[in-house]
């Protein structure tokens, strides 16, 4: 199977060299656990190190904030944007007509991926996207259709979801892990950060929690080093 390396130190070696190419997985964890940073690192490394174009779709934070926060890690995001290797789209989901127009929005995404041959996609985040829906089943259906379409385009996709802190469930809607081809959990404790691969179809991985750090160059994973 072809792999899409994250380029994140320590992460690729625990997932047989990278994420299964063209598939999707969910990234869950509590607030501040590093979901946005990991996803940015995934698309930035794709553009900068692996010549793979990436699309970052935010329903949550404005693009300027994401770019300026990530620039702290020495990543020249603007250069990648100027060279058309990275693209950011922001859809504030609080707009009144979001739910009526969601079909157009999702077909715009699919069209963009097709036309520009994006090979990496991030959706940040599913709970923000889901908030715009009054009808939960409609949201699930739209999400499922979107993932189905993207699957055909060979674009490796991270869908960010969240784990409410203190909640025993792993993900916001509690269905994501069944829908997705993989689930990665980020752990945030008082004194540690960790990462755990819960599920990754087609991949031989352990389900250990590995220590993770957010340092000056972004996320670093320490394979086999238990965080607590
Ligand atoms: N420059 C930095 N150096 C070290 N740690 C940082 C740096 N910038 C942010 N962090 C840490 O990363 C956290 C934010 O990570 P990130 O935005 O990826 O979280 P998230 O999981 O996306 O959270 P949310 O659910 O709120 O969107 C901060 O709370 C802080 O602890
Ligand atoms: Mg975030």
């Amino acid at each position: 199977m072809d792999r899409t390396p994250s380029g994140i130190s320590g992460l690729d070696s625990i997932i047989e060299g990278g994420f299964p190419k063209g598939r999707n997985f969910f990234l869950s964890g509590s607030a501040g656990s590093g979901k946005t940073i990991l996803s940015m690192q995934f698309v930035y490394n794709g553009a900068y190190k692996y010549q793979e174009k990436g699309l970052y779709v935010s329903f949550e934070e404005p693009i300027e904030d994401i770019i300026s926060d990530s620039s702290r890690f020495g990543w020249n995001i603007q250069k990648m944007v100027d060279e058309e290797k990275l693209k950011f789209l922001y859809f504030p989901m609080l707009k009144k007509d979001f739910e009526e127009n969601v079909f157009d929005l999702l077909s715009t995404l699919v069209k963009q991926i097709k036309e520009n041959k994006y090979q990496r996609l991030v959706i940040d985040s599913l709970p923000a996207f889901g908030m715009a829906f009054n009808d939960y089943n409609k949201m699930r259906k739209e999400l499922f259709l979107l993932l189905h379409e993207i699957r055909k385009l060979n674009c490796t996709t991270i869908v960010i979801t969240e784990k409410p802190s203190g909640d025993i469930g792993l993900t916001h809607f509690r269905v994501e892990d069944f829908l997705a081809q993989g689930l990665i959990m980020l752990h945030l404790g008082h004194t540690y950060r960790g990462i755990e691969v819960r599920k990754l179809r087609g991949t031989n991985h352990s389900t250990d929690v590995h220590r993770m750090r957010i340092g000056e160059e972004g996320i670093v994973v320490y394979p086999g080093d238990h965080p607590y």
Side-chain angles (χ1 to χ4, degrees), residues 30-37 60-61 72-73 162 193 214-215:
S30 54
S33 59
K35 303 179 295 293
T36 294
I37 295 174
E60 204 164 306
E61 283 180 81
R72 296 272 315 271
F73 302 118
E162 70 191 20
R193 290 182 187 278
I214 302 177

Side-chain angles (χ1 to χ4, degrees), residues 14 208-211 222-226:
I14 60 175
D208 293 347
V209 182
H210 306 270
R211 190 164 69 85
Y222 300 90
D225 197 352
H226 204 68

Side-chain angles (χ1 to χ4, degrees), residues 6-24:
S6 67
I8 294 172
S9 173
L11 177 56
D12 294 324
S13 67
I14 60 175
I15 50 174
E16 295 195 278
F19 297 105
K21 187 166 173 54
R23 301 208 187 168
N24 58 63

Side-chain angles (χ1 to χ4, degrees), residues 36-60:
T36 294
I37 295 174
L38 189 147
S39 303
M40 274 298 299
Q41 204 163 343
F42 171 75
V43 285
Y44 178 74
N45 284 342
Y48 181 71
K49 291 187 184 170
Y50 304 110
Q51 276 68 51
E52 290 195 2
K53 289 167 77 174
L55 176 62
Y56 197 107
V57 181
S58 175
F59 294 104
E60 204 164 306

